[in-house]
Every structure is written in structure tokens, then in C-alpha cells.
């Protein structure tokens, strides 16, 4: 394996190690049996130190890809000072924990992931809160399908705490670089991004993705209004200086601001479409999700697999609940199912 310049025309999931900026290297690690296919981790070499942002899943193939990439940089796994992790999802956090246990590297994570880690340690079943919410959104059949397929594993059973909690609006020194920690709740409560203002870079995790919209509140203990949290976080990052986007999934992009503007437009459209569906008589989140289309291919809900159907219904519910919070819809519970109504 050799170091190559990052090329936006090249498939971003291709294995290798790519120079994304001076001293920063993008390393796509494989995610077998996941539609995302890969996760970008970033090696930051500075003043004789090696820090890695996010870590990949904890399996032999991912580890070997990371080892080979670091070899190409003249480094070894034992040289990793610490893993700076954007959030607790298994493709970001799991390998960091495994390598810490084996090699002693440090792991640092956003403070507000603590609640979900505690819940997992207490034995929450896989997708416990998501299944309950699906039932409240009128999608009992989808909930049962998720339960029947859910098995405890790497995705759900990450319970170990980090060595250090990362706090919002503080700095972490990475060699002679300084990264500002920006709390960006929405995808998860404790999601953080890392801003390198001097070099005009933003390590965006799953907060800002160049081609897809991240799931909202997909965590063991989701908040009541995850979409409000997410839009607020987008606004917080949009108010900062523009930067080059180094995302967890997808190619490096030139402008964080440009992508955030697209994400705002997308959610505005989704809110409008969801409200229109309620006006037309679709009263549950499940019914509204059936009315909408999904993915860039415009698929119907029944064309999605159970996992992505769950995500679609939960996202629809998040949009409807935000409309209720904004007093644009009303909501009442009947026999354990939430029903939404237009005021007019």
C-alpha cells in the first residue's frame, strides 16, 4: 500500500491511504454487510505524534486495512497516541476500544454519549427505544420484524467508557495542531466534530455527510426532539468559518457551508411534505412514511429492508414531532399510537 493524493473522482470506498490535507490522511476501512460499505478514519501526523479520528469496526479485515495504511505512513498501530471518536456507533468507536484493550492507546469521546453507554451497560436490548417508538408511530409490524432480526453484537453491545470525555468548545492538542471540539447533537446526543481552524478543516463524523442525510437520534437513549437538536447543531457549525469537509462516509468536499445549506433545504422539504400528508388525512408516522419516497432513487417504503424501514419511520416521526413543537400540527395518543392532525 502506498500513499496517494485524494481524488474526488475516485470511488471514496476504495482501499488505501489518501493525503487529504497536509499531515492528514484519509483511510477508508471496510464495513462488510453494511450499505454504507466503508467508514473514513483520519490519521493526523503532527510533531512526531499520531492521532486517529474515528476507528472503524472491530474485525480482522478492518484492523488489517488500518495497519497497512499506517505502515505506508511509516507508523505502526502501537504509535497511535489516541483515538478521537465522533460518536458511539460501532463503525466509529468499536475498533478504538479493541485496540485500547490490546495496545494501550487512549480513547476520547463526547461527554453526552455517557447516558447511552450506561443504558447499554445496564442491558438494554438491541433497538429497545426504537422498537417502542415504532409501535407509538403505528408501525407495530415493523417493530416485530426488527425484534425478530435483532441480535446482540458489535453494533449494539459497545458498553466501555472512554479514557476521557470531550467537552464542547474546548481544544485538544494534536502535536502542534489544535482541534476545537464542537458538540453537534442530533445523530446521537454526544456527537462531536473537530475543527482545525488554522488549516481550514472540519472532521465531520456523521454530522455533515456529502451525499446522504444522517439518521436522527439513532442511539440507545434518544432525546425527545432529535431533529430540533440536529438542525440547531447544523446552524452552530454553519455560523463558524467555512472549511473543507472531511466526512466519515463519502468523499472529501470543499465546503461545509454548501453541504449544510443543502441539508437545511432537504429537511425543510421533508417538513413540508410531512405536514401536507397529515393535511391529506395520513395520521400516523407510519402512514406518512408510506406516503413519502426514500433514498435518492425515490423508493417507496415497502421497497426498503426492515432496518431501513425502521429508520424511515423514525425519521418521519421526528419531522412530525418537530412540527408539533412548532405548533404547526397537533398530536394525541389513542390506544398507545400517536396521531397527528392539522389545525385547520
Amino acid at each position: 500500500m502506498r500513499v496517494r493524493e485524494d481524488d474526488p473522482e475516485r470511488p471514496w470506498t476504495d482501499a488505501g491511504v489518501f493525503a487529504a490535507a497536509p499531515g492528514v490522511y484519509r483511510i477508508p476501512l471496510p464495513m462488510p454487510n453494511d450499505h454504507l460499505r466503508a467508514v473514513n478514519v483520519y490519521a493526523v501526523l503532527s510533531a512526531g505524534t499520531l492521532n486517529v479520528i474515528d476507528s472503524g469496526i472491530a474485525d480482522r479485515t478492518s484492523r488489517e486495512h488500518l495497519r497497512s495504511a499506517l505502515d505506508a505512513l511509516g507508523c505502526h498501530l502501537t504509535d497511535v497516541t489516541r483515538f478521537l471518536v465522533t460518536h458511539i456507533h460501532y463503525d466509529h468507536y468499536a475498533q478504538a476500544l479493541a485496540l485500547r484493550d490490546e495496545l494501550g492507546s487512549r480513547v476520547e469521546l463526547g461527554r453526552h454519549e455517557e447516558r447511552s453507554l450506561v443504558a447499554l451497560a445496564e442491558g438494554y436490548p438491541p433497538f429497545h427505544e426504537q422498537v417502542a417508538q415504532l409501535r407509538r408511530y403505528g408501525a407495530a409490524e415493523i417493530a416485530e420484524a426488527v425484534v425478530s432480526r435483532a441480535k446482540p453484537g458489535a453494533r449494539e453491545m459497545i458498553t466501555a467508557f472512554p479514557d476521557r470525555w470531550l467537552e464542547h468548545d474546548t481544544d485538544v492538542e494534536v502535536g502542534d495542531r489544535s482541534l476545537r471540539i464542537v458538540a453537534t447533537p442530533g445523530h446521537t446526543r454526544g456527537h462531536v466534530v473537530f475543527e482545525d481552524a488554522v488549516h481550514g478543516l472540519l472532521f465531520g463524523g456523521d454530522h455533515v455527510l456529502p451525499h446522504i442525510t444522517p439518521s436522527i437520534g439513532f442511539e440507545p437513549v434518544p432525546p425527545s426532539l432529535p431533529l430540533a437538536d440536529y438542525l440547531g447543531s447544523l446552524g452552530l457549525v454553519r455560523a463558524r468559518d467555512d472549511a473543507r469537509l472531511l466526512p466519515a462516509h463519502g468523499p472529501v468536499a470543499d465546503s461545509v457551508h454548501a453541504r449544510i445549506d443543502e441539508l437545511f433545504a432537504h429537511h425543510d422539504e421533508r417538513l413540508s411534505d410531512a405536514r401536507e400528508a397529515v393535511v391529506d388525512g395520513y395520521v400516523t408516522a407510519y402512514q406518512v412514511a408510506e406516503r413519502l419516497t426514500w433514498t435518492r432513487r425515490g423508493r417507496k417504503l415497502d421497497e426498503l429492508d426492515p432496518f431501513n424501514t425502521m429508520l424511515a419511520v423514525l425519521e418521519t416521526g421526528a419531522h412530525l414531532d418537530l412540527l408539533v413543537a412548532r405548533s404547526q400540527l397537533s398530536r394525541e395518543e389513542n390506544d398507545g399510537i400517536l396521531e397527528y392532525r392539522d389545525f385547520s
Side-chain angles (χ1 to χ4, degrees):
M1 187 178 290
R2 62 184 177 84
V3 179
R4 290 174 287 184
E5 289 299 316
D6 216 343
D7 180 0
E9 300 302 317
R10 180 189 188 95
W12 73 271
T13 55
D14 284 359
V17 52
F18 304 94
V24 178
Y25 302 89
R26 183 177 67 86
I27 305 171
L29 298 181
M31 295 172 57
N33 305 315
D34 193 297
H35 72 284
L36 291 172
R37 297 179 55 203
V39 57
N40 292 322
V41 307
Y42 294 91
V44 182
L45 288 170
S46 179
T49 67
L50 170 62
N51 291 265
V52 178
I53 295 176
D54 287 330
S55 70
I57 65 175
D59 75 356
R60 183 177 300 176
T61 302
S62 179
R63 178 192 171 113
E64 180 58 25
H65 275 67
L66 181 58
R67 184 198 65 76
S68 296
L70 295 182
D71 282 350
L73 295 172
C75 302
H76 304 284
L77 286 171
T78 52
D79 294 326
V80 177
T81 302
R82 63 186 157 195
F83 289 92
L84 296 167
V85 181
T86 58
H87 62 294
I88 61 168
H89 287 163
Y90 85 117
D91 51 326
H92 299 258
Y93 192 40
Q95 186 154 244
L97 296 175
L99 292 174
R100 177 183 69 177
D101 291 345
E102 180 180 345
L103 304 176
S105 50
R106 289 177 57 82
V107 178
E108 303 184 2
L109 180 72
R111 162 67 67 184
H112 296 293
E113 299 292 30
E114 183 174 7
R115 185 179 300 187
S116 285
L117 288 177
V118 168
L120 289 171
E122 290 175 349
Y124 266 43
F127 309 130
H128 174 76
E129 293 296 329
Q130 286 71 32
V131 166
Q133 195 67 358
L134 284 171
R135 293 191 173 108
R136 296 182 77 214
Y137 285 152
E141 290 184 8
I142 303 302
E144 295 309 315
V146 170
V147 170
S148 69
R149 289 168 171 80
K151 297 178 181 179
R155 300 185 190 214
E156 295 84 28
M157 301 307 292
I158 299 169
T159 60
F161 277 30
D163 298 291
R164 176 192 172 204
W165 295 113
L166 299 172
E167 306 287 353
H168 172 63
D169 209 26
T170 61
D171 294 324
V172 57
E173 302 307 316
V174 178
D176 58 8
R177 291 174 183 256
S178 182
L179 303 182
R180 175 58 57 97
I181 302 160
V182 182
T184 51
H187 184 56
T188 68
R189 285 177 182 264
H191 193 291
V192 297
V193 300
F194 301 99
E195 180 189 43
D196 182 346
V198 171
H199 298 91
L201 304 174
L202 185 82
F203 298 91
D206 283 3
H207 180 61
V208 182
L209 299 173
H211 292 155
I212 60 176
T213 58
S215 57
I216 304 300
F218 191 67
E219 56 196 313
V221 187
S224 59
L225 288 174
L227 182 55
D229 292 341
Y230 181 62
L231 295 176
S233 296
L234 286 179
L236 178 67
V237 174
R238 183 64 173 82
R240 306 179 84 87
D241 290 342
D242 201 4
R244 195 159 192 241
L245 172 64
L246 281 61
H249 306 285
V252 171
D254 288 335
S255 172
V256 173
H257 285 183
R259 181 54 182 156
I260 288 177
D261 291 344
E262 291 174 351
L263 289 167
F264 276 138
H266 165 77
H267 285 291
D268 283 346
E269 182 179 356
R270 278 319 233 192
L271 287 163
S272 177
D273 290 345
R275 185 178 184 282
E276 182 179 334
V278 172
V279 171
D280 289 344
Y282 297 83
V283 299
T284 68
Y286 182 48
Q287 291 171 354
V288 173
E290 288 185 305
R291 161 78 175 264
L292 303 175
T293 58
W294 299 95
T295 79
R296 287 178 291 171
R297 297 178 178 85
R299 292 178 175 172
K300 300 299 290 184
L301 191 69
D302 62 10
E303 297 179 73
L304 304 179
D305 62 72
F307 180 79
N308 283 293
T309 302
M310 170 180 66
L311 293 182
V313 174
L314 293 174
E315 180 179 322
T316 302
H319 283 80
L320 292 170
D321 291 337
L322 182 57
L323 289 167
V324 172
R326 291 178 173 179
S327 299
Q328 293 179 267
L329 292 176
S330 65
R331 182 183 69 190
E332 62 181 26
E333 187 169 333
N334 292 312
D335 296 326
I337 296 175
L338 296 174
E339 295 183 352
Y340 300 84
R341 297 283 191 277
D342 179 46
F343 285 113
S344 60

